Amino acid sequence: MRALRIWLIVAVVLGGLFVAADRIAVNVVESKVADRIKSSQGLNATPDVSITGFPFLTQALGKEFDEVDVRLGGVTATADGHSVNVTEVKAKLHDVKVNSGYSSATVVRADGSARISYADLAKAAPKGATVSYAGAERAAKGQIQVGGQLTDLLDGAGVQVPPSLRLLLAGRTVSTYSTVTIEGGSTVRVRSEGLPKLPVPGFDEKLRKAVDYDLQIAGMPRGIKLDKVEASKDGLLFTGTGTNVSLAG
């Protein structure tokens, strides 16, 4: 019994040392992978990297990792020179294979996501426009609500409103449901589905310039193409995938 207790104690101690060594090793490699992602993707900030799976050492010896979670900062969306932050930018890398010096890696599949709040969407919208949640039914169609004071919207679109018409339109607000789509893997396109009829002939299409706009998302990992958007109470969630993504460079 005494010998058995000794062996049990030794096993526990060795197991603890193995776990400690495993965690130290994963922290070192996570740092190296984060630096590689930053340099290869041209990011402004070092991402937060987490390598899942245990034991880690067996993955490290084979230079193949089942799954790597990445959180990115410093990602922005730009519209007409106005930049806003993109939050909750994540990437899940599957089947990551690295070379011996960790100077390059390939990812069999990468899943990415990013979120933009309605407040930030409004900051990037044309001057005078407000952006808000359109309700569950409209959100299910990928739609948001865009509106504002009519004179402010027209001014923001650069439309010259004669003083007599400005008095007529003063205090009038308009709103429309706009569909959000993804074009080219990184461009967010906001387009009105139906503009309200204005009491001034010829101004309907001019109003469209005040509510339709594009945002260009910059900073997502190269190789991940955003292709889906979902509207929720908190904002817009964009998701996309990539295959055979290179982390070399």
Side-chain angles (χ1 to χ4, degrees):
M1 292 296 294
R2 184 171 181 272
L4 178 60
R5 285 197 298 269
I6 292 174
W7 277 111
L8 287 174
I9 292 172
V10 171
V12 169
V13 171
L14 290 177
L17 291 175
F18 176 79
V19 171
D22 194 81
R23 293 303 90 191
I24 292 173
V26 74
N27 289 336
V28 171
V29 174
E30 284 174 349
S31 178
K32 289 184 177 181
V33 172
D35 290 339
R36 174 50 45 197
I37 292 175
K38 179 183 178 182
S39 61
S40 66
Q41 302 296 306
L43 303 177
N44 295 324
T46 302
D48 181 18
V49 171
S50 176
I51 299 176
T52 62
F54 182 85
F56 164 78
L57 288 174
T58 56
Q59 297 183 75
L61 290 173
K63 299 295 186 298
E64 295 185 12
F65 305 100
D66 296 334
E67 192 171 283
V68 178
D69 294 326
V70 181
R71 291 178 179 269
L72 302 173
V75 178
T76 60
T78 305
D80 293 330
H82 301 290
S83 295
V84 296
N85 291 326
V86 181
T87 60
E88 298 182 32
V89 182
K90 304 174 185 178
K92 188 177 289 291
L93 314 180
H94 304 273
D95 298 324
V96 181
K97 301 177 181 180
V98 300
N99 68 358
S100 58
Y102 287 91
S103 59
S104 66
T106 57
V107 181
V108 174
R109 191 181 90 253
D111 301 320
S113 66
R115 188 181 298 276
I116 301 180
S117 68
Y118 291 114
D120 284 327
L121 281 170
K123 291 177 184 177
K127 186 178 179 180
T130 60
V131 181
S132 60
Y133 179 58
E137 184 178 349
R138 292 286 179 172
K141 301 177 182 179
Q143 293 181 338
I144 60 177
Q145 191 164 20
V146 181
Q149 292 282 340
L150 181 54
T151 51
D152 291 342
L153 290 171
L154 293 174
D155 289 343
V159 178
Q160 297 296 322
V161 182
S164 58
L165 289 180
R166 187 174 293 276
L167 288 174
L168 176 64
L169 301 177
R172 183 184 291 269
T173 61
V174 295
S175 66
T176 181
Y177 295 115
S178 297
T179 299
V180 183
T181 58
I182 296 289
E183 302 292 337
S186 62
T187 300
V188 181
R189 183 157 291 172
V190 180
R191 293 292 182 270
S192 171
E193 289 301 302
L195 291 169
K197 194 70 177 177
L198 298 182
V200 183
F203 272 64
D204 293 336
E205 284 307 309
K206 292 180 180 179
L207 177 60
R208 184 174 293 279
K209 296 180 180 179
V211 295
D212 290 352
Y213 66 104
D214 294 343
L215 297 91
Q216 183 69 37
I217 297 179
M220 289 294 294
R222 298 187 191 117
I224 295 181
K225 300 294 184 182
L226 300 177
D227 56 13
K228 184 179 180 182
V229 57
E230 295 179 19
S232 70
K233 292 182 179 179
D234 300 323
L236 299 179
L237 175 66
F238 305 96
T239 56
T241 60
T243 56
N244 298 320
V245 178
S246 175
L247 300 181

